[in-house]
Short mmCIF file of all heavy atoms in Angstrom, two decimals:
data_model
loop_
_atom_site.label_atom_id
_atom_site.label_comp_id
_atom_site.label_asym_id
_atom_site.label_seq_id
_atom_site.Cartn_x
_atom_site.Cartn_y
_atom_site.Cartn_z
N MET A 1 -54.44 52.71 -23.55
CA MET A 1 -55.35 53.82 -23.31
C MET A 1 -55.60 53.90 -21.83
O MET A 1 -55.57 52.89 -21.13
CB MET A 1 -56.60 53.58 -24.13
CG MET A 1 -57.63 54.67 -24.05
SD MET A 1 -59.07 54.36 -25.17
CE MET A 1 -58.35 55.02 -26.66
N GLN A 2 -55.92 55.10 -21.34
CA GLN A 2 -56.21 55.23 -19.91
C GLN A 2 -57.58 55.87 -19.74
O GLN A 2 -58.07 56.56 -20.65
CB GLN A 2 -55.13 56.06 -19.21
CG GLN A 2 -53.82 55.33 -19.19
CD GLN A 2 -52.79 56.04 -18.33
OE1 GLN A 2 -52.94 57.25 -18.02
NE2 GLN A 2 -51.78 55.32 -17.93
N GLY A 3 -58.15 55.70 -18.59
CA GLY A 3 -59.47 56.19 -18.29
C GLY A 3 -59.82 56.01 -16.82
O GLY A 3 -58.97 55.74 -16.01
N GLU A 4 -61.12 56.14 -16.56
CA GLU A 4 -61.62 56.07 -15.20
C GLU A 4 -62.93 55.25 -15.16
O GLU A 4 -63.73 55.40 -16.08
CB GLU A 4 -61.90 57.49 -14.69
CG GLU A 4 -62.47 57.55 -13.28
CD GLU A 4 -62.77 58.97 -12.89
OE1 GLU A 4 -62.08 59.90 -13.33
OE2 GLU A 4 -63.72 59.15 -12.11
N ILE A 5 -63.07 54.40 -14.14
CA ILE A 5 -64.32 53.65 -14.00
C ILE A 5 -65.37 54.68 -13.54
O ILE A 5 -65.23 55.25 -12.46
CB ILE A 5 -64.17 52.51 -13.02
CG1 ILE A 5 -63.17 51.48 -13.55
CG2 ILE A 5 -65.54 51.85 -12.76
CD1 ILE A 5 -62.81 50.37 -12.59
N LYS A 6 -66.40 54.86 -14.33
CA LYS A 6 -67.46 55.80 -14.02
C LYS A 6 -68.63 55.13 -13.29
O LYS A 6 -69.29 55.73 -12.44
CB LYS A 6 -67.96 56.55 -15.23
CG LYS A 6 -66.89 57.43 -15.87
CD LYS A 6 -66.24 58.40 -14.93
CE LYS A 6 -66.99 59.68 -14.77
NZ LYS A 6 -66.27 60.65 -13.91
N LYS A 7 -68.90 53.85 -13.67
CA LYS A 7 -69.97 53.10 -13.10
C LYS A 7 -69.55 51.65 -13.05
O LYS A 7 -68.84 51.20 -13.95
CB LYS A 7 -71.27 53.19 -13.92
CG LYS A 7 -71.99 54.48 -13.93
CD LYS A 7 -73.24 54.32 -14.71
CE LYS A 7 -73.95 55.63 -14.87
NZ LYS A 7 -75.20 55.51 -15.65
N PHE A 8 -70.01 50.93 -12.02
CA PHE A 8 -69.84 49.49 -11.99
C PHE A 8 -70.98 48.87 -11.19
O PHE A 8 -71.22 49.28 -10.11
CB PHE A 8 -68.51 49.04 -11.43
CG PHE A 8 -68.29 47.54 -11.58
CD1 PHE A 8 -68.01 46.99 -12.82
CD2 PHE A 8 -68.46 46.71 -10.47
CE1 PHE A 8 -67.89 45.63 -12.91
CE2 PHE A 8 -68.32 45.36 -10.61
CZ PHE A 8 -68.02 44.80 -11.85
N ARG A 9 -71.67 47.90 -11.82
CA ARG A 9 -72.75 47.19 -11.15
C ARG A 9 -72.28 45.79 -10.81
O ARG A 9 -72.17 44.96 -11.70
CB ARG A 9 -74.00 47.15 -12.03
CG ARG A 9 -74.59 48.56 -12.18
CD ARG A 9 -76.05 48.59 -12.39
NE ARG A 9 -76.84 47.51 -11.83
CZ ARG A 9 -77.99 47.09 -12.36
NH1 ARG A 9 -78.46 47.70 -13.41
NH2 ARG A 9 -78.65 46.13 -11.78
N GLU A 10 -71.96 45.61 -9.55
CA GLU A 10 -71.45 44.32 -9.11
C GLU A 10 -72.49 43.19 -9.35
O GLU A 10 -72.11 42.06 -9.66
CB GLU A 10 -71.13 44.37 -7.61
CG GLU A 10 -70.41 43.18 -7.06
CD GLU A 10 -68.96 43.06 -7.52
OE1 GLU A 10 -68.24 44.05 -7.51
OE2 GLU A 10 -68.59 41.93 -7.92
N ASP A 11 -73.79 43.54 -9.25
CA ASP A 11 -74.82 42.49 -9.40
C ASP A 11 -74.88 41.89 -10.81
O ASP A 11 -75.24 40.75 -10.95
CB ASP A 11 -76.19 43.05 -8.98
CG ASP A 11 -76.62 44.23 -9.80
OD1 ASP A 11 -75.76 45.02 -10.23
OD2 ASP A 11 -77.85 44.47 -9.96
N ILE A 12 -74.47 42.64 -11.80
CA ILE A 12 -74.45 42.10 -13.19
C ILE A 12 -73.05 41.96 -13.70
O ILE A 12 -72.85 41.37 -14.78
CB ILE A 12 -75.37 42.92 -14.15
CG1 ILE A 12 -74.83 44.35 -14.24
CG2 ILE A 12 -76.79 42.85 -13.73
CD1 ILE A 12 -75.54 45.16 -15.32
N GLY A 13 -72.07 42.51 -13.01
CA GLY A 13 -70.68 42.35 -13.42
C GLY A 13 -70.19 43.21 -14.57
O GLY A 13 -69.17 42.91 -15.20
N PHE A 14 -70.92 44.31 -14.85
CA PHE A 14 -70.51 45.20 -15.92
C PHE A 14 -70.43 46.65 -15.46
O PHE A 14 -71.11 47.01 -14.48
CB PHE A 14 -71.53 45.06 -17.10
CG PHE A 14 -71.38 43.82 -17.89
CD1 PHE A 14 -72.10 42.71 -17.56
CD2 PHE A 14 -70.50 43.75 -18.93
CE1 PHE A 14 -71.97 41.52 -18.28
CE2 PHE A 14 -70.33 42.55 -19.67
CZ PHE A 14 -71.10 41.47 -19.31
N GLY A 15 -69.67 47.43 -16.18
CA GLY A 15 -69.54 48.83 -15.86
C GLY A 15 -69.20 49.65 -17.06
O GLY A 15 -69.16 49.18 -18.21
N VAL A 16 -68.88 50.95 -16.81
CA VAL A 16 -68.52 51.89 -17.90
C VAL A 16 -67.21 52.57 -17.47
O VAL A 16 -67.01 53.04 -16.40
CB VAL A 16 -69.65 52.97 -18.03
CG1 VAL A 16 -69.25 54.00 -19.08
CG2 VAL A 16 -70.95 52.31 -18.39
N ILE A 17 -66.32 52.62 -18.50
CA ILE A 17 -65.08 53.38 -18.40
C ILE A 17 -65.17 54.61 -19.27
O ILE A 17 -65.63 54.52 -20.43
CB ILE A 17 -63.88 52.52 -18.88
CG1 ILE A 17 -63.66 51.32 -17.97
CG2 ILE A 17 -62.61 53.38 -18.99
CD1 ILE A 17 -62.59 50.35 -18.48
N LEU A 18 -64.80 55.77 -18.71
CA LEU A 18 -64.67 57.02 -19.51
C LEU A 18 -63.19 57.17 -19.84
O LEU A 18 -62.37 57.33 -18.93
CB LEU A 18 -65.18 58.15 -18.70
CG LEU A 18 -65.02 59.53 -19.38
CD1 LEU A 18 -65.81 59.60 -20.71
CD2 LEU A 18 -65.48 60.67 -18.45
N ALA A 19 -62.87 57.02 -21.11
CA ALA A 19 -61.48 57.14 -21.53
C ALA A 19 -61.00 58.62 -21.58
O ALA A 19 -61.86 59.56 -21.60
CB ALA A 19 -61.31 56.56 -22.95
N GLU A 20 -59.73 58.84 -21.57
CA GLU A 20 -59.16 60.17 -21.59
C GLU A 20 -59.62 61.00 -22.78
O GLU A 20 -59.69 62.21 -22.72
CB GLU A 20 -57.63 60.13 -21.59
CG GLU A 20 -57.04 59.73 -20.23
CD GLU A 20 -55.54 59.71 -20.26
OE1 GLU A 20 -54.94 59.38 -21.29
OE2 GLU A 20 -54.93 60.05 -19.25
N ASP A 21 -59.93 60.30 -23.92
CA ASP A 21 -60.32 61.00 -25.10
C ASP A 21 -61.86 61.30 -25.14
O ASP A 21 -62.36 61.80 -26.13
CB ASP A 21 -59.91 60.23 -26.34
CG ASP A 21 -60.58 58.89 -26.50
OD1 ASP A 21 -61.45 58.53 -25.67
OD2 ASP A 21 -60.25 58.16 -27.49
N GLY A 22 -62.54 60.99 -24.03
CA GLY A 22 -63.97 61.26 -23.91
C GLY A 22 -64.88 60.16 -24.37
O GLY A 22 -66.09 60.23 -24.10
N ARG A 23 -64.36 59.07 -24.94
CA ARG A 23 -65.21 57.95 -25.33
C ARG A 23 -65.59 57.10 -24.14
O ARG A 23 -64.79 57.02 -23.14
CB ARG A 23 -64.50 57.06 -26.37
CG ARG A 23 -64.31 57.75 -27.67
CD ARG A 23 -63.84 56.80 -28.75
NE ARG A 23 -62.44 56.45 -28.45
CZ ARG A 23 -61.76 55.46 -29.06
NH1 ARG A 23 -62.34 54.74 -29.97
NH2 ARG A 23 -60.53 55.24 -28.76
N LYS A 24 -66.75 56.50 -24.16
CA LYS A 24 -67.23 55.63 -23.09
C LYS A 24 -67.21 54.20 -23.58
O LYS A 24 -67.59 53.93 -24.74
CB LYS A 24 -68.64 56.00 -22.65
CG LYS A 24 -68.71 57.33 -21.92
CD LYS A 24 -70.09 57.63 -21.49
CE LYS A 24 -70.18 59.02 -20.78
NZ LYS A 24 -71.53 59.33 -20.38
N PHE A 25 -66.79 53.29 -22.72
CA PHE A 25 -66.72 51.86 -23.08
C PHE A 25 -67.39 51.02 -21.98
O PHE A 25 -67.14 51.26 -20.79
CB PHE A 25 -65.25 51.42 -23.16
CG PHE A 25 -64.49 52.07 -24.27
CD1 PHE A 25 -63.71 53.16 -23.99
CD2 PHE A 25 -64.54 51.62 -25.57
CE1 PHE A 25 -62.97 53.78 -25.03
CE2 PHE A 25 -63.82 52.20 -26.59
CZ PHE A 25 -63.02 53.30 -26.31
N ARG A 26 -68.18 50.07 -22.40
CA ARG A 26 -68.79 49.12 -21.44
C ARG A 26 -67.74 48.03 -21.24
O ARG A 26 -67.15 47.56 -22.22
CB ARG A 26 -70.06 48.60 -22.02
CG ARG A 26 -70.80 47.69 -21.06
CD ARG A 26 -72.13 47.32 -21.58
NE ARG A 26 -72.81 46.51 -20.59
CZ ARG A 26 -73.66 45.51 -20.88
NH1 ARG A 26 -73.95 45.28 -22.11
NH2 ARG A 26 -74.23 44.79 -19.93
N PHE A 27 -67.59 47.57 -20.02
CA PHE A 27 -66.61 46.51 -19.73
C PHE A 27 -67.18 45.47 -18.80
O PHE A 27 -68.11 45.70 -18.05
CB PHE A 27 -65.31 47.10 -19.14
CG PHE A 27 -65.43 47.54 -17.75
CD1 PHE A 27 -65.05 46.72 -16.72
CD2 PHE A 27 -65.90 48.79 -17.44
CE1 PHE A 27 -65.15 47.14 -15.38
CE2 PHE A 27 -66.02 49.23 -16.08
CZ PHE A 27 -65.64 48.38 -15.09
N ALA A 28 -66.59 44.31 -18.86
CA ALA A 28 -66.94 43.22 -17.92
C ALA A 28 -65.92 43.18 -16.82
O ALA A 28 -64.72 43.36 -17.05
CB ALA A 28 -66.95 41.87 -18.67
N GLY A 29 -66.38 43.03 -15.59
CA GLY A 29 -65.48 42.98 -14.44
C GLY A 29 -64.46 41.87 -14.59
O GLY A 29 -63.32 42.02 -14.11
N SER A 30 -64.80 40.83 -15.29
CA SER A 30 -63.85 39.70 -15.47
C SER A 30 -62.67 40.09 -16.37
O SER A 30 -61.67 39.35 -16.43
CB SER A 30 -64.59 38.50 -16.09
OG SER A 30 -65.15 38.84 -17.35
N ASP A 31 -62.73 41.22 -17.10
CA ASP A 31 -61.63 41.68 -17.95
C ASP A 31 -60.59 42.45 -17.18
O ASP A 31 -59.57 42.89 -17.76
CB ASP A 31 -62.15 42.52 -19.10
CG ASP A 31 -62.89 41.65 -20.13
OD1 ASP A 31 -62.52 40.51 -20.34
OD2 ASP A 31 -63.86 42.19 -20.72
N ILE A 32 -60.77 42.65 -15.89
CA ILE A 32 -59.79 43.38 -15.05
C ILE A 32 -58.79 42.38 -14.57
O ILE A 32 -59.11 41.40 -13.91
CB ILE A 32 -60.46 44.11 -13.89
CG1 ILE A 32 -61.39 45.20 -14.44
CG2 ILE A 32 -59.40 44.75 -12.99
CD1 ILE A 32 -62.14 46.00 -13.41
N LEU A 33 -57.53 42.55 -14.92
CA LEU A 33 -56.47 41.62 -14.60
C LEU A 33 -56.09 41.59 -13.15
O LEU A 33 -55.72 40.55 -12.60
CB LEU A 33 -55.20 41.89 -15.43
CG LEU A 33 -55.41 41.81 -16.96
CD1 LEU A 33 -54.13 42.17 -17.64
CD2 LEU A 33 -55.91 40.42 -17.37
N ASN A 34 -56.13 42.73 -12.45
CA ASN A 34 -55.74 42.78 -11.05
C ASN A 34 -56.95 43.17 -10.19
O ASN A 34 -56.90 44.03 -9.35
CB ASN A 34 -54.60 43.78 -10.82
CG ASN A 34 -54.98 45.19 -11.23
OD1 ASN A 34 -55.84 45.40 -12.06
ND2 ASN A 34 -54.25 46.14 -10.69
N ARG A 35 -58.01 42.45 -10.41
CA ARG A 35 -59.28 42.73 -9.76
C ARG A 35 -59.21 42.46 -8.25
O ARG A 35 -58.82 41.37 -7.81
CB ARG A 35 -60.38 41.90 -10.36
CG ARG A 35 -61.74 42.17 -9.74
CD ARG A 35 -62.80 41.39 -10.43
NE ARG A 35 -64.06 41.65 -9.74
CZ ARG A 35 -65.27 41.40 -10.26
NH1 ARG A 35 -65.34 40.89 -11.44
NH2 ARG A 35 -66.30 41.69 -9.58
N ASP A 36 -59.52 43.43 -7.45
CA ASP A 36 -59.71 43.24 -6.01
C ASP A 36 -61.09 43.79 -5.65
O ASP A 36 -62.06 43.06 -5.53
CB ASP A 36 -58.58 43.86 -5.18
CG ASP A 36 -58.40 45.35 -5.47
OD1 ASP A 36 -59.02 45.89 -6.33
OD2 ASP A 36 -57.53 45.97 -4.80
N GLU A 37 -61.20 45.09 -5.62
CA GLU A 37 -62.44 45.73 -5.41
C GLU A 37 -62.64 46.76 -6.46
O GLU A 37 -61.79 47.65 -6.65
CB GLU A 37 -62.52 46.41 -4.03
CG GLU A 37 -63.80 47.10 -3.73
CD GLU A 37 -63.77 47.78 -2.36
OE1 GLU A 37 -63.04 47.37 -1.50
OE2 GLU A 37 -64.54 48.75 -2.19
N ILE A 38 -63.69 46.64 -7.28
CA ILE A 38 -63.92 47.56 -8.38
C ILE A 38 -64.73 48.71 -7.84
O ILE A 38 -65.85 48.55 -7.32
CB ILE A 38 -64.68 46.91 -9.53
CG1 ILE A 38 -63.85 45.74 -10.08
CG2 ILE A 38 -64.94 47.93 -10.66
CD1 ILE A 38 -64.55 44.89 -11.08
N CYS A 39 -64.17 49.92 -7.86
CA CYS A 39 -64.83 51.11 -7.34
C CYS A 39 -64.91 52.19 -8.39
O CYS A 39 -63.96 52.34 -9.21
CB CYS A 39 -64.06 51.66 -6.15
SG CYS A 39 -63.94 50.59 -4.75
N GLU A 40 -65.98 52.89 -8.42
CA GLU A 40 -66.14 54.02 -9.30
C GLU A 40 -65.04 55.05 -8.92
O GLU A 40 -64.72 55.18 -7.74
CB GLU A 40 -67.48 54.63 -9.16
CG GLU A 40 -68.57 53.72 -9.65
CD GLU A 40 -70.00 54.20 -9.42
OE1 GLU A 40 -70.16 55.31 -8.90
OE2 GLU A 40 -70.90 53.45 -9.75
N GLY A 41 -64.47 55.66 -9.93
CA GLY A 41 -63.41 56.67 -9.71
C GLY A 41 -62.00 56.11 -9.81
O GLY A 41 -61.04 56.88 -9.83
N ARG A 42 -61.84 54.80 -9.90
CA ARG A 42 -60.50 54.19 -10.00
C ARG A 42 -59.93 54.41 -11.41
O ARG A 42 -60.68 54.26 -12.37
CB ARG A 42 -60.54 52.69 -9.69
CG ARG A 42 -61.09 52.30 -8.35
CD ARG A 42 -60.16 52.41 -7.17
NE ARG A 42 -58.96 51.63 -7.23
CZ ARG A 42 -58.75 50.44 -6.67
NH1 ARG A 42 -59.73 49.83 -6.07
NH2 ARG A 42 -57.57 49.88 -6.73
N GLU A 43 -58.69 54.76 -11.48
CA GLU A 43 -58.04 54.93 -12.79
C GLU A 43 -57.64 53.58 -13.33
O GLU A 43 -57.19 52.70 -12.60
CB GLU A 43 -56.82 55.84 -12.64
CG GLU A 43 -57.16 57.24 -12.27
CD GLU A 43 -55.91 58.13 -12.09
OE1 GLU A 43 -54.90 57.87 -12.78
OE2 GLU A 43 -55.98 59.01 -11.29
N VAL A 44 -57.75 53.44 -14.68
CA VAL A 44 -57.41 52.17 -15.34
C VAL A 44 -56.62 52.41 -16.59
O VAL A 44 -56.69 53.46 -17.16
CB VAL A 44 -58.69 51.34 -15.66
CG1 VAL A 44 -59.36 50.87 -14.40
CG2 VAL A 44 -59.67 52.10 -16.49
N ASP A 45 -55.88 51.37 -16.97
CA ASP A 45 -55.19 51.31 -18.22
C ASP A 45 -55.78 50.12 -19.01
O ASP A 45 -56.00 49.09 -18.33
CB ASP A 45 -53.66 51.14 -18.00
CG ASP A 45 -52.90 51.26 -19.29
OD1 ASP A 45 -52.67 52.38 -19.74
OD2 ASP A 45 -52.52 50.19 -19.86
N PHE A 46 -55.99 50.22 -20.29
CA PHE A 46 -56.62 49.15 -21.03
C PHE A 46 -56.29 49.26 -22.51
O PHE A 46 -55.80 50.28 -22.96
CB PHE A 46 -58.10 49.16 -20.82
CG PHE A 46 -58.80 50.43 -21.22
CD1 PHE A 46 -59.43 50.56 -22.44
CD2 PHE A 46 -58.86 51.52 -20.38
CE1 PHE A 46 -60.09 51.71 -22.82
CE2 PHE A 46 -59.52 52.68 -20.72
CZ PHE A 46 -60.11 52.79 -21.94
N VAL A 47 -56.55 48.16 -23.20
CA VAL A 47 -56.42 48.08 -24.64
C VAL A 47 -57.78 47.93 -25.24
O VAL A 47 -58.60 47.13 -24.73
CB VAL A 47 -55.53 46.84 -25.01
CG1 VAL A 47 -55.46 46.67 -26.56
CG2 VAL A 47 -54.16 46.99 -24.43
N VAL A 48 -58.09 48.62 -26.32
CA VAL A 48 -59.36 48.53 -26.98
C VAL A 48 -59.21 47.56 -28.19
O VAL A 48 -58.43 47.80 -29.08
CB VAL A 48 -59.91 49.93 -27.43
CG1 VAL A 48 -61.24 49.72 -28.18
CG2 VAL A 48 -60.08 50.84 -26.26
N LEU A 49 -60.02 46.51 -28.19
CA LEU A 49 -60.08 45.57 -29.30
C LEU A 49 -61.51 45.66 -29.85
O LEU A 49 -62.45 45.30 -29.18
CB LEU A 49 -59.74 44.15 -28.85
CG LEU A 49 -58.34 43.96 -28.26
CD1 LEU A 49 -58.18 42.54 -27.70
CD2 LEU A 49 -57.29 44.26 -29.30
N GLY A 50 -61.64 46.17 -31.11
CA GLY A 50 -62.94 46.45 -31.60
C GLY A 50 -63.53 47.63 -30.89
O GLY A 50 -62.98 48.72 -30.92
N LEU A 51 -64.62 47.41 -30.16
CA LEU A 51 -65.20 48.44 -29.32
C LEU A 51 -65.19 48.10 -27.83
O LEU A 51 -65.85 48.74 -27.06
CB LEU A 51 -66.64 48.70 -29.76
CG LEU A 51 -66.85 49.21 -31.18
CD1 LEU A 51 -68.30 49.32 -31.54
CD2 LEU A 51 -66.16 50.57 -31.38
N THR A 52 -64.41 47.06 -27.48
CA THR A 52 -64.44 46.57 -26.16
C THR A 52 -63.06 46.68 -25.47
O THR A 52 -62.08 46.33 -26.00
CB THR A 52 -64.78 45.06 -26.19
OG1 THR A 52 -66.00 44.88 -26.93
CG2 THR A 52 -65.00 44.48 -24.81
N PRO A 53 -63.05 47.25 -24.26
CA PRO A 53 -61.82 47.31 -23.52
C PRO A 53 -61.39 45.94 -23.05
O PRO A 53 -62.25 45.16 -22.57
CB PRO A 53 -62.11 48.25 -22.34
CG PRO A 53 -63.57 48.29 -22.20
CD PRO A 53 -64.16 47.90 -23.54
N GLN A 54 -60.13 45.60 -23.18
CA GLN A 54 -59.58 44.29 -22.79
C GLN A 54 -58.29 44.59 -21.97
O GLN A 54 -57.76 45.65 -21.99
CB GLN A 54 -59.17 43.48 -23.99
CG GLN A 54 -60.33 43.21 -24.96
CD GLN A 54 -61.27 42.17 -24.42
OE1 GLN A 54 -60.82 41.15 -23.91
NE2 GLN A 54 -62.55 42.42 -24.56
N ARG A 55 -57.89 43.56 -21.23
CA ARG A 55 -56.64 43.66 -20.44
C ARG A 55 -56.65 44.89 -19.57
O ARG A 55 -55.67 45.65 -19.58
CB ARG A 55 -55.43 43.55 -21.31
CG ARG A 55 -55.30 42.21 -22.00
CD ARG A 55 -54.12 42.15 -22.87
NE ARG A 55 -54.55 42.73 -24.18
CZ ARG A 55 -53.88 42.60 -25.25
NH1 ARG A 55 -52.75 41.97 -25.29
NH2 ARG A 55 -54.34 43.14 -26.38
N ILE A 56 -57.64 45.13 -18.82
CA ILE A 56 -57.83 46.26 -17.96
C ILE A 56 -57.03 46.13 -16.71
O ILE A 56 -57.09 45.06 -16.03
CB ILE A 56 -59.31 46.49 -17.57
CG1 ILE A 56 -60.18 46.62 -18.85
CG2 ILE A 56 -59.50 47.70 -16.68
CD1 ILE A 56 -61.64 46.51 -18.63
N ILE A 57 -56.24 47.13 -16.37
CA ILE A 57 -55.43 47.13 -15.17
C ILE A 57 -55.77 48.37 -14.34
O ILE A 57 -55.72 49.47 -14.85
CB ILE A 57 -53.91 47.15 -15.48
CG1 ILE A 57 -53.56 45.88 -16.29
CG2 ILE A 57 -53.08 47.24 -14.20
CD1 ILE A 57 -52.11 45.85 -16.76
N VAL A 58 -56.13 48.15 -13.07
CA VAL A 58 -56.40 49.27 -12.18
C VAL A 58 -55.05 49.86 -11.79
O VAL A 58 -54.16 49.17 -11.35
CB VAL A 58 -57.17 48.82 -10.90
CG1 VAL A 58 -57.35 50.00 -9.96
CG2 VAL A 58 -58.52 48.22 -11.32
N ILE A 59 -54.89 51.18 -12.02
CA ILE A 59 -53.60 51.80 -11.76
C ILE A 59 -53.61 52.84 -10.62
O ILE A 59 -52.56 53.35 -10.26
CB ILE A 59 -52.99 52.51 -13.04
CG1 ILE A 59 -53.98 53.53 -13.60
CG2 ILE A 59 -52.68 51.43 -14.06
CD1 ILE A 59 -53.42 54.31 -14.76
N SER A 60 -54.74 53.14 -10.02
CA SER A 60 -54.77 54.10 -8.93
C SER A 60 -54.32 53.42 -7.69
O SER A 60 -54.44 52.22 -7.52
CB SER A 60 -56.11 54.73 -8.78
OG SER A 60 -57.12 53.74 -8.52
N GLY A 61 -53.78 54.18 -6.78
CA GLY A 61 -53.21 53.67 -5.53
C GLY A 61 -51.75 53.42 -5.65
O GLY A 61 -51.08 54.04 -6.48
N SER A 62 -51.23 52.55 -4.85
CA SER A 62 -49.80 52.23 -4.86
C SER A 62 -49.40 51.56 -6.20
O SER A 62 -50.19 50.79 -6.76
CB SER A 62 -49.49 51.21 -3.73
OG SER A 62 -48.25 50.59 -3.95
N PRO A 63 -48.21 51.85 -6.72
CA PRO A 63 -47.78 51.17 -7.97
C PRO A 63 -47.84 49.65 -7.85
O PRO A 63 -48.05 48.95 -8.85
CB PRO A 63 -46.35 51.66 -8.17
CG PRO A 63 -46.21 52.87 -7.36
CD PRO A 63 -47.21 52.75 -6.25
N TRP A 64 -47.70 49.14 -6.66
CA TRP A 64 -47.68 47.65 -6.47
C TRP A 64 -49.06 47.08 -6.62
O TRP A 64 -49.18 45.89 -6.95
CB TRP A 64 -47.09 47.26 -5.16
CG TRP A 64 -45.64 47.62 -5.13
CD1 TRP A 64 -45.07 48.63 -4.38
CD2 TRP A 64 -44.60 47.03 -5.88
NE1 TRP A 64 -43.71 48.72 -4.66
CE2 TRP A 64 -43.42 47.71 -5.56
CE3 TRP A 64 -44.55 46.03 -6.82
CZ2 TRP A 64 -42.19 47.41 -6.13
CZ3 TRP A 64 -43.32 45.68 -7.37
CH2 TRP A 64 -42.18 46.37 -7.05
N THR A 65 -50.11 47.88 -6.52
CA THR A 65 -51.48 47.33 -6.72
C THR A 65 -51.70 46.88 -8.17
O THR A 65 -52.50 46.00 -8.42
CB THR A 65 -52.56 48.33 -6.32
OG1 THR A 65 -52.46 49.50 -7.12
CG2 THR A 65 -52.52 48.70 -4.83
N ALA A 66 -51.00 47.50 -9.10
CA ALA A 66 -51.11 47.11 -10.47
C ALA A 66 -50.63 45.68 -10.75
O ALA A 66 -50.98 45.07 -11.68
CB ALA A 66 -50.35 48.08 -11.40
N PHE A 67 -49.83 45.17 -9.79
CA PHE A 67 -49.29 43.81 -9.97
C PHE A 67 -49.95 42.83 -9.02
O PHE A 67 -49.46 41.77 -8.70
CB PHE A 67 -47.78 43.80 -9.71
CG PHE A 67 -47.05 44.68 -10.76
CD1 PHE A 67 -46.62 45.92 -10.39
CD2 PHE A 67 -46.91 44.25 -12.04
CE1 PHE A 67 -45.97 46.72 -11.35
CE2 PHE A 67 -46.29 45.05 -12.99
CZ PHE A 67 -45.83 46.26 -12.61
N GLY A 68 -51.11 43.20 -8.50
CA GLY A 68 -51.88 42.32 -7.63
C GLY A 68 -51.26 42.04 -6.25
O GLY A 68 -51.47 41.03 -5.66
N GLY A 69 -50.49 43.04 -5.78
CA GLY A 69 -49.90 42.91 -4.44
C GLY A 69 -48.72 41.98 -4.38
O GLY A 69 -48.44 41.40 -3.35
N LEU A 70 -47.98 41.82 -5.45
CA LEU A 70 -46.80 40.94 -5.42
C LEU A 70 -45.76 41.51 -4.51
O LEU A 70 -45.53 42.71 -4.48
CB LEU A 70 -46.22 40.84 -6.87
CG LEU A 70 -47.03 40.11 -7.89
CD1 LEU A 70 -46.31 40.18 -9.24
CD2 LEU A 70 -47.27 38.68 -7.51
N ALA A 71 -45.19 40.65 -3.73
CA ALA A 71 -44.15 41.11 -2.81
C ALA A 71 -42.80 40.63 -3.30
O ALA A 71 -42.67 39.67 -4.01
CB ALA A 71 -44.41 40.52 -1.40
N ALA A 72 -41.75 41.33 -2.85
CA ALA A 72 -40.37 40.98 -3.25
C ALA A 72 -39.93 39.72 -2.56
O ALA A 72 -40.29 39.35 -1.53
CB ALA A 72 -39.44 42.11 -2.95
#
């Protein structure tokens, strides 16, 4: 599933993702696999298990950012 980070509070480590289908999900910053800087407006890809997004990957920016800046 894909969506956008609408809110993120660094002080508590939680935020809200608005999915493409209009649903909102609360997420923990620790669930982002390629975490660098979590910013509102960043596009993400994720899997929903129960009611919680898991395995969140930030996909906005260069395609290489999705892999945590891996170099050849």
Side-chain angles (χ1 to χ4, degrees):
M1 183 173 277
Q2 293 188 341
E4 178 183 329
I5 297 175
K6 296 306 273 184
K7 289 184 184 179
F8 186 74
R9 292 211 25 210
E10 189 71 46
D11 59 330
I12 61 172
F14 285 92
V16 175
I17 294 173
L18 176 61
E20 287 181 325
D21 65 3
R23 292 188 290 169
K24 292 181 181 179
F25 296 96
R26 185 173 182 212
F27 73 96
S30 61
D31 289 326
I32 297 178
L33 300 178
N34 61 337
R35 182 177 176 162
D36 56 356
E37 180 181 334
I38 301 173
C39 297
E40 294 174 2
R42 303 278 302 264
E43 293 179 31
V44 292
D45 187 79
F46 58 98
V47 175
V48 178
L49 300 173
L51 297 174
T52 308
Q54 302 284 316
R55 294 178 276 195
I56 303 167
I57 299 174
V58 177
I59 57 174
S60 59
S62 162
W64 294 109
T65 61
F67 300 103
L70 295 176

